[in-house]
Amino acid sequence: MSRTKTIKYINENSVDDMVKQVVAKGTDISCVIGAAKESRTEYGLKVQEFIERLEIASK
């Protein structure tokens, strides 16, 4: 996903929706968490919450 699309996606989707989409698609959660951690400083607390909920969803 391009930087612009990533910013738009994070801004326009709730954390619940993002987690549901990742889980529903069967995406490798560890890869998503890794990518999210790289963007955490840029996108802030919403990304941190997204990471925490993905970690819970993967259990």
Side-chain angles (χ1 to χ4, degrees), residues 8 11 18 26 28 34 42 44 52:
K8 184 177 179 185
N11 285 327
M18 290 189 290
D28 183 348
E42 191 168 348
E52 290 170 359

Side-chain angles (χ1 to χ4, degrees), residues 2-4 13 16 18 20 23 26 30 33-35 37 39-41 44 47-48 52 55-56 58-59:
S2 74
R3 183 176 189 278
T4 305
N13 290 281
D16 286 335
M18 290 189 290
K20 287 176 188 173
V23 171
S30 61
I33 290 171
K37 284 181 179 179
S39 66
R40 182 177 7 202
T41 55
V47 172
Q48 179 60 39
E52 290 170 359
E55 289 173 337
I56 291 168
S58 69
K59 294 179 183 177

Side-chain angles (χ1 to χ4, degrees), residues 15 40-52:
V15 172
R40 182 177 7 202
T41 55
E42 191 168 348
Y43 303 118
L45 295 175
K46 190 171 185 181
V47 172
Q48 179 60 39
E49 184 180 356
F50 178 49
I51 291 167
E52 290 170 359

